[in-house]
Every structure is written in C-alpha cells, then in structure tokens.
C-alpha cells in the first residue's frame, strides 16, 4: 500500500510529496514535485524501517516539519502525481483526520485508534467507507460484538457500491478502490467466522479475492475451506501448492492429506488434459437481459449458454508444477469491462475514431465493440468477444495490455475460442499456456 501526502508552498517550484510504502519493511520517500527529474533523482529523503510503529511516527514528524516550514498540505492523493499546479487546495481537517486514523491503525495502539475514531465521529469522515472500515477493524481486534462489527463493515461496503453506482466520489486517501472494498470484505469474513457462520465468511472472502486478489486473502480462503468445508479440501490444496512460497499456508502444508495431493500433482502425465471447469452460480435469464440492456447489444448465443451453465466460473489449469485460472466476469461487470478496455487502448490516441479505423483495417472489428469476458488470474490480459454487427459478430480474440493495439488467436465463435484454449492446454501448447500465465521452459 502506498500512502501519499502532498505539500505546496508558493510559487510551487519546490512542492513536495511524502510517501509511506507499507509493503514489506516500511519505507518513507520524500519526493520533489519536479517533472524534469528522472525517477530516483527527485528523492530528497529515503528512510527504511524494520517496524511500522517507528515508520508511522517518522511519517508524522516529516509531515509536521513541512507544515512548520510554510508548506500547505493539499487535497491530492495520487502517489504518481508530479505537479500540484495550477490551483492546489488545502486538505480539509476531516480528511487529515482520516489520514491520521489510518496511520494509527497501521502503527499505534487500539487505545490510540479509539481516540481518533471518537474525534471523527461527528464529522463528515464518519460516513466515509474508510472510516467505517477502520472502525470495524478496530472493533474486531478489540474483541467487540460481532454483530456491531458486521454492521459497520457491511455499511462501508454498501456505501462503496452505492457511490460507485451514483458516480459520487468518496475519500479513501491513496488506497485503491478495489483494495478498500476487499479489505472491507476481509473484516466481514473475520467477523462472520467469529460469529460461527463459516458459509457467509467464505462468501465474503471469496468476493474479496475476486475484487482484489492477494496472497493473504487467498490463504484466508484456503484456511476456511480446510476448517469448515472438507468437500472442497482440494481447492485449498490448489492454493497452497501454487502460493506456498509466499507464506500463510504452513498449517495446510503440514497436513498428511496435502502430501497425498502433492504426489497426485507430481504424477500428472503428459497425456492428462491438464484442465477442468470450476462452476459457480449459474446466471439467470434476467441477469443476461440486464447485461444486454447495459451493453446496448445482444450477446452471442454460445456465450449466453456458457453463462447459463457455468456462471462466473473458472477454467482451471493443473499441471505438475504449474497452476492457472481463467476467470469469467459476472454479467453485471461486462459494460464496465468494455469501457475500461476501450479507455485503456485510447490512452495514447487523441481521436477515438482513429482507433476504430485501425482495428477495422487490421482485424475487421471496432475496438469499442470488443467485450472482455474473462481474464487470467493476476494478469492484465483478457479473452474478448466482438459485439459489432456484421459477419464478425461473436468472433473472439486474445488481448494483452502490453500490446494494446494487437489482437491474437482469432476464433470465429466463443465455443471455438474455448476449444482452442482447452486443446492448447491438453497439448501443452506454449501460446495457449502463456496467455493463461503458465510459461514452459
């Protein structure tokens, strides 16, 4: 996690960023807001710490020193920003208060966190998702009532969803929206487990992994499966086998049944197809109709039938030394995914019509008609379907963000694209496997 504060002092030629990096051993960077400097040359400060408590105290101290030197803290939060001009505005006190609460949650006592929570209770901060998350998190570690913790975390999640739908902003400091939502779901999972409701706890952590996957969230999901859902033990072993080197799976790896699982994985032969479907809740006809209404286009028949059978399922690759998942989107996500893809492709082009013209000339489709329907876990690439009317309606391609203007492995239908992938896995084809994130020697 990257938490950034920005400081402006007229005329603005010496503005500063103070950045706290919390991943691993914490680091504080002081950065000069100068676009003419190369990365690394712009650092006026770099402090490394062995513990978060000391890092948080130092971060507070450095921020106070800048204010004492005549700098004004601004409303900016994007840690990649390199220019505060032309009109930097002072950060409101309630936002500064939320920043302080976040810092307290990272490196201060429960008692100190409680004081920050109380100080913000009658301010605009109290209705923000970040406040609700940190209040729920504090309640959990303070052994407070499970029902109250669940209410706070659920209210926080509902607030994110409602404001997203209404396109209303909320303040979350520098925390990514997906990370904030996933953290909310993590707390919900903890609290439901504490309340002896493993089914809802599992649903919450699986949703957290879908929203913003991480090793810790995967380990939490695996432990719930092992402890409460023995019929899904194989899934937990899959996660442990794939991510064991990152930690969090030690209890699972020590189980005798895990040793048997490893022996089975190592025994997978070249003749084994190496893939399987993991089916989740099937999609209803009303969900499909709603998706088509949001898209303003009909979905190909074979893709509709797939969703009705598999829902937001996964194509899982299981080879002796490698695992991968192709994760299919929910119908409610499709319109957003289409917009996200086109906006990414258009980042370097001023006229969107030029993009469509290029894609039509090269591939016979318009970029704005490409619908992402699935992505390999932890990789920025996707399987897309063309929704544009004409002879190439329903054609599928593979797209990768490293080659944003390139479409590969054209297939005349969704079924044909799936068959090409599954056949490629069975044949250990390097192209199919690399798209899924499996790289053969």
């Amino acid at each position: 996690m990257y938490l950034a504060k920005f400081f402006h002092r007229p005329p603005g030629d010496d503005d500063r960023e103070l950045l706290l990096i919390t991943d691993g051993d914490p680091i504080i960077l002081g950065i000069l807001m100068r676009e003419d400097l190369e990365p690394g040359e712009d650092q006026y400060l770099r402090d490394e710490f062995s513990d978060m408590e000391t890092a948080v105290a130092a971060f507070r101290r450095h921020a106070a020193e800048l204010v004492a030197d005549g700098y004004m803290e601004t409303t900016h939060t994007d840690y990649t920003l390199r220019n505060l001009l032309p009109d930097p505005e002072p950060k409101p006190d309630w936002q500064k208060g939320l920043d302080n609460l976040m810092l307290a949650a990272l490196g201060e006592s429960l008692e100190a966190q409680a004081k920050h929570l109380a100080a913000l209770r009658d301010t605009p901060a109290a209705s923000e998702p970040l406040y609700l998350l940190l209040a729920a998190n504090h309640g959990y570690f303070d052994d407070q009532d499970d029902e109250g913790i669940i209410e706070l975390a659920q209210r926080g999640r509902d607030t994110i969803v409602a404001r997203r739908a209404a396109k209303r902003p909320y303040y979350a400091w520098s925390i990514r929206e997906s990370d904030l939502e996933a953290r909310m779901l993590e707390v919900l999972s903890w609290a439901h487990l504490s309340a002896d409701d493993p089914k809802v706890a599992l649903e919450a952590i699986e949703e957290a992994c879908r929203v913003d996957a991480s090793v810790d969230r995967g380990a939490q999901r695996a432990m719930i499966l092992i402890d409460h859902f023995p019929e899904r033990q194989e899934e937990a072993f899959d996660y442990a086998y794939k991510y064991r080197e990152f930690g969090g799976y030690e209890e699972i790896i020590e189980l005798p049944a895990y040793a048997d699982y490893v022996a089975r994985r190592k025994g997978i032969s070249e003749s084994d197809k190496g893939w399987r479907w993991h089916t989740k809740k099937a999609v209803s006809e009303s969900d499909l109709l709603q998706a088509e209404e949001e898209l303003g286009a009909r979905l190909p028949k074979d893709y509709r039938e797939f969703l009705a059978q598999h829902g937001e399922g996964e194509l899982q690759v299981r080879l002796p030394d490698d695992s991968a998942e192709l994760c299919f989107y929910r119908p409610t996500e499709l319109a957003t995914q289409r917009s996200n893809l086109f906006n990414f492709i258009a980042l370097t082009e001023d006229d969107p019509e030029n993009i469509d013209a290029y894609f039509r000339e090269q591939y016979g489709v318009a970029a704005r008609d490409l619908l992402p329907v699935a992505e390999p876990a932890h990789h920025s690439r996707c399987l897309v379907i063309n929704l544009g009317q004409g002879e190439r309606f329903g054609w599928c391609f593979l797209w990768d963000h490293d080659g944003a203007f390139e479409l590969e492995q054209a297939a005349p239908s969704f079924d044909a694209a799936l068959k090409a992938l599954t056949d490629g896995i069975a044949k250990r084809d390097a192209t199919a496997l690399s798209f899924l994130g499996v790289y053969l020697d």
Side-chain angles (χ1 to χ4, degrees):
M1 185 163 53
Y2 290 64
L3 300 174
K5 284 182 172 290
F6 293 88
F7 299 87
H8 168 72
R9 184 171 65 183
D13 57 356
D14 191 34
D15 289 347
R16 309 290 179 100
E17 175 186 359
L18 198 60
L19 179 63
L20 174 62
I21 303 174
T22 65
D23 301 331
D25 289 336
I27 299 172
I28 295 177
L29 299 180
I31 301 171
L32 299 170
M33 304 296 289
R34 294 263 305 276
E35 295 177 293
D36 61 321
L37 296 176
E38 295 295 326
E41 294 179 357
D42 55 359
Q43 291 182 15
Y44 71 89
L45 169 71
R46 180 185 177 91
D47 286 343
E48 301 182 11
F49 303 87
S50 59
D51 66 277
M52 188 60 70
E53 182 179 359
T54 306
V56 165
F59 189 79
R60 292 189 190 278
R61 185 178 67 255
H62 288 304
E65 289 170 352
L66 287 170
V67 173
D69 287 340
Y71 286 86
M72 172 190 76
E73 184 177 354
T74 72
T75 56
H76 303 91
T77 58
D78 179 0
Y79 73 90
T80 65
L81 192 65
R82 287 298 173 267
N83 191 345
L84 304 184
L85 300 176
D87 298 310
E89 298 179 357
K91 179 175 282 190
D93 287 341
W94 68 266
Q95 292 184 2
K96 293 180 184 177
L98 265 180
D99 295 354
N100 283 326
L101 174 59
M102 183 68 208
L103 291 171
L106 287 171
E108 296 179 1
S109 67
L110 290 172
E111 182 180 3
Q113 294 173 45
K115 291 179 180 178
H116 286 286
L117 287 164
L120 293 171
R121 198 161 289 140
D122 296 321
T123 73
S127 61
E128 294 292 305
L130 180 56
Y131 178 91
L132 296 167
L133 167 65
L134 296 175
N137 194 74
H138 175 267
Y140 179 80
F141 287 103
D142 197 37
D143 292 325
Q144 295 177 15
D145 176 62
D146 292 325
E147 186 175 337
I149 297 165
I150 291 169
E151 191 278 329
L152 284 167
Q154 189 61 58
R155 185 148 50 97
R157 172 78 186 310
D158 293 344
T159 302
I160 291 174
V161 172
R163 294 202 193 178
R164 182 192 299 142
K167 297 183 178 179
R168 289 176 51 210
Y170 54 84
Y171 182 76
W173 198 356
S174 307
I175 304 171
R176 292 179 294 106
E177 178 181 314
S178 59
D179 187 28
L180 183 72
E181 185 175 0
R183 288 173 185 270
M184 206 84 72
L185 289 159
E186 277 187 85
V187 178
L188 276 171
S189 181
W190 298 338
H192 280 296
L193 264 188
S194 178
D196 295 323
D197 193 344
K199 180 177 182 296
V200 178
L202 179 61
E203 290 172 355
I205 198 59
E206 288 189 323
E207 181 69 1
C209 291
R210 190 193 67 81
V211 169
D212 193 33
S214 74
V215 172
D216 289 343
R217 289 165 194 148
Q220 184 175 337
R221 173 176 57 180
M223 285 306 305
I224 293 174
L225 291 175
I226 288 292
D227 291 340
H228 301 281
F229 299 91
E231 71 279 9
R232 294 181 62 183
Q233 176 179 262
E234 191 87 355
E235 291 178 54
F237 290 162
D238 282 344
Y239 303 139
Y241 190 77
K242 185 173 183 178
Y243 300 111
R244 60 194 182 280
E245 65 185 280
F246 300 104
Y249 294 91
E250 290 77 12
E251 291 184 46
I252 296 176
I253 289 171
E254 292 175 359
L255 295 172
Y258 178 76
D260 296 337
Y261 164 88
V262 172
R264 292 197 305 275
R265 279 294 294 267
K266 293 294 186 182
I268 293 177
S269 68
E270 286 295 319
S271 62
D272 188 282
K273 67 180 184 177
W275 60 269
R276 70 190 184 204
W277 286 109
H278 176 58
T279 298
K280 297 186 179 180
K281 181 181 178 182
V283 174
S284 68
E285 179 64 19
S286 62
D287 289 337
L288 292 170
L289 291 173
Q290 180 182 342
E292 290 177 327
E293 182 178 352
E294 292 172 350
L295 290 163
R298 66 186 178 94
L299 298 171
K301 181 175 180 292
D302 53 358
Y303 175 54
R304 275 177 135 267
E305 291 173 349
F306 171 86
L307 289 175
Q309 180 180 357
H310 293 287
E312 50 168 308
E314 296 177 353
L315 173 60
Q316 298 181 335
V317 180
R318 297 295 182 261
L319 302 177
D321 296 310
D322 296 287
S323 301
E325 296 81 33
L326 181 65
C327 307
F328 288 80
Y329 299 125
R330 294 172 177 172
T332 53
E333 299 173 311
L334 294 177
T336 299
Q337 292 296 337
R338 182 179 63 178
S339 296
N340 290 346
L341 176 65
F342 185 77
N343 291 340
F344 183 87
I345 295 172
L347 281 176
T348 59
E349 177 58 60
D350 294 331
D351 186 353
E353 291 303 320
N354 292 338
I355 299 171
D356 279 339
Y358 174 84
F359 273 79
R360 286 193 185 98
E361 180 181 352
Q362 296 293 320
Y363 309 109
V365 300
R368 68 180 71 247
D369 290 331
L370 296 175
L371 176 68
V373 296
E375 67 176 15
H378 312 300
H379 293 279
S380 297
R381 53 184 74 127
C382 54
L383 170 65
V384 300
I385 299 178
N386 173 44
L387 295 186
Q389 294 303 304
E391 63 180 22
R392 288 212 159 189
F393 171 76
W395 277 59
C396 290
F397 306 86
L398 304 185
W399 178 89
D400 191 309
H401 82 297
D402 286 338
F405 280 74
E406 299 173 11
L407 297 177
E408 298 181 341
Q409 304 300 310
S413 68
F414 177 75
D415 282 347
L418 288 189
K419 187 174 189 305
L421 282 172
T422 54
D423 285 352
I425 297 166
K427 296 174 182 176
R428 308 302 190 257
D429 176 70
T431 299
L433 289 171
S434 63
F435 170 75
L436 296 165
V438 175
Y439 305 100
L440 301 178
D441 295 333

